[in-house]
Structures are given as C-alpha cells and as structure tokens.
Amino acid sequence: MAFVGDTLDRHASPGGGGIAVACGGNRLSWQDLLETTSRVEDALGQLEAPGARIGISTRQPYEAIRLVLAVARSGRVAVVAEPAQAGFPEADLRAALSVRFWSLTALDAVLKARGAGAADTGAVRPEPPRPNASDPFYIGLTSGSTGRPKAFQRSHGSWLTSFAACEDAFGLTPADRVAVPGSLSHSLHLFGALHALHMGARLDLSAGFRPRGILKTMRAAGTTVLYATPTQLDLLLRAARAGGLTFPDVRRVLLSGA
C-alpha cells in the first residue's frame, strides 16, 4: 500500500541518522523525524476521526512539515494554509472547510490534560490503518489573484505519481540536497518538501523569504535542487549577483507560479 510518507520508516532505519530537515538553526535527523511523526499520528488517533481535516498553519515551516507528514501517514487530510495570507480570518476558514487547526504544542497539551501525554508508552498500540492511494491527504488554497481563494484537493496517488515523474524527468535522487525557501502554503513548495522527504533527500526550509539568508543557507548545505516561483528566483539571482556569489552545486531549478 503506497501513501505519502510511507518511505519514512525505511529512511529512519538503523544508519539513517543524517539530517532530514533543516530550518534556520534547527536540525532534525531521520530518526527524530520518524519519532515526531509517530507521536503526532498517535495523538491524532486519539483526538480526530480517520479522514478528518486537520488545519496546519505554515507560519512555522519546521513544525508544519512534520505535521503534514504525520497527518498524511495517519489517514487524515491536511488543510495547509496561512489564513492571513489567504485573505480569510481563521474562524472563517475553519467554518468553510470544517477544519480544526492543530500545532505540536496544542496536541501535546490536550493529551497531557487527558492523562495520555506524548511520553506515555506503557501500552503497545496496534499499527494504525494506513491510507489508500485514492484517499485525499491534502487541501490547499489558490492565491486568490482572480478572486476569492478557492480550495483544491489532492490524493496520495496523484502526488506519488508526480514524485515518480519528477525523478524520471529531472534525475532527482536521495543524494540531492533540496532547498524550499518559500511558504508551504504554496503547493509548489509543499510538493518539493514532501518529495525530498519521500526520496530520502535532505530538505532545507526557510522561516521567511530573505534572499541573502537563503543564499547563505544554500551555500552551507551544498544545495543541488531549488524549488522557487519566478519572482523568488529573480530576487535570489539579484542578491547573488550583488554579492558576487556562484552556486556550482545547483543542478536543477524547478519553477511554478506567476
């Protein structure tokens, strides 16, 4: 059974202690990523019904990507949005899409209040049911450039097919180091981030779009693949030229958007 996030256990197997996700000064190994997602999956199993829509704010990408991965693996649907950017008050977004927003802190707090904190591992729980390829896992919002933002939905299978197509067309591999400097509320950036983790490639995220800081991160990480919108790429190129910087490791730039 294939689903988004189904390769994480393999990447986190013994010897998988390398960096999976980096954002600013934060680093997460593959084993730590599996531990976090497993904890969130367990929490969701106690708090939300299978197939429930889980709201995830993209304000903190280092947290958001872990929540999206866990929600996908758990068989729930991640509604990934930044309400302020989408032009919706959060209350309107919750009502329109029947969604409740969760954070890692909120999940832990509710479980602890119930006396079932994240550290409680006394009982061995059965393996949770896994989603099918046809099941939805992600709802995003359009930019609203032609009117009020509209919601769209993707299934596990649709993105797994696209992951394979990207690997075939662009030669992407687990050895790549992938930079995704934009907000995960943009489907391009979320796609790039989840695809990197699906492959087992290092993922570098940015808490905000600051070209000089992003270029510094790319040089330090030895980035080989960059996901960006045309506007973001233009700003990064301007900053690189101004600083006299070159990036010989970058071999693919994947673009989408206006």
Side-chain angles (χ1 to χ4, degrees):
M1 182 182 298
F3 53 89
V4 173
D6 68 344
T7 60
L8 179 57
D9 299 83
R10 171 161 51 85
H11 299 322
S13 61
I19 295 175
V21 181
C23 183
N26 296 307
R27 300 287 185 273
L28 202 66
S29 72
W30 289 103
Q31 292 167 341
D32 290 338
L33 180 60
L34 177 61
E35 180 182 329
T36 301
T37 56
S38 297
R39 175 165 56 90
V40 175
E41 290 175 60
D42 184 59
L44 291 173
Q46 299 180 54
L47 300 171
E48 296 282 3
R53 294 173 176 177
I54 311 299
I56 299 173
S57 167
T58 57
R59 192 174 293 113
Q60 300 295 333
Y62 184 66
E63 173 173 312
I65 191 61
R66 290 179 280 170
L67 285 169
V68 173
L69 191 61
V71 169
R73 283 168 53 91
S74 77
R76 276 78 180 172
V77 183
V79 180
V80 185
E82 191 50 58
Q85 293 177 0
F88 285 103
E90 187 173 308
D92 289 356
L93 192 59
R94 290 199 305 267
L97 295 176
S98 301
V99 63
R100 175 163 50 168
F101 277 77
W102 283 107
S103 66
L104 293 178
T105 301
L107 284 168
D108 281 346
V110 171
L111 289 178
K112 288 176 181 177
R114 291 185 173 196
D120 178 17
T121 57
V124 177
R125 297 185 177 92
E127 179 72 16
R130 292 304 188 185
N132 296 307
S134 60
D135 292 339
F137 85 95
Y138 162 53
I139 292 175
L141 297 175
T142 63
S143 64
S145 57
T146 59
R148 195 167 176 81
K150 300 175 181 64
F152 59 89
Q153 182 171 273
R154 295 290 180 265
S155 69
H156 288 268
S158 69
W159 272 28
L160 291 176
T161 299
S162 295
F163 290 168
C166 279
E167 291 164 32
D168 182 58
F170 306 122
L172 306 183
T173 75
D176 279 309
R177 296 174 294 281
V178 181
V180 179
S183 172
L184 297 178
S185 61
H186 191 300
S187 60
L188 167 73
H189 300 131
L190 183 62
F191 178 91
L194 288 177
H195 186 203
L197 298 178
H198 176 80
M199 290 191 298
R202 170 176 168 149
L203 170 65
D204 281 277
L205 299 170
S206 299
F209 191 80
R210 292 177 286 275
R212 291 182 180 178
I214 290 166
L215 294 176
K216 181 179 179 181
T217 295
M218 289 175 60
R219 285 172 65 87
T223 294
T224 61
V225 176
L226 169 67
Y227 281 85
T229 66
T231 299
Q232 290 169 341
L233 181 60
D234 180 62
L235 294 172
L236 290 171
L237 286 170
R238 289 172 185 267
R241 288 171 181 149
L245 302 176
T246 60
F247 294 83
D249 291 329
V250 175
R251 64 187 191 85
R252 294 286 186 269
V253 178
L254 304 182
L255 294 166
S256 177

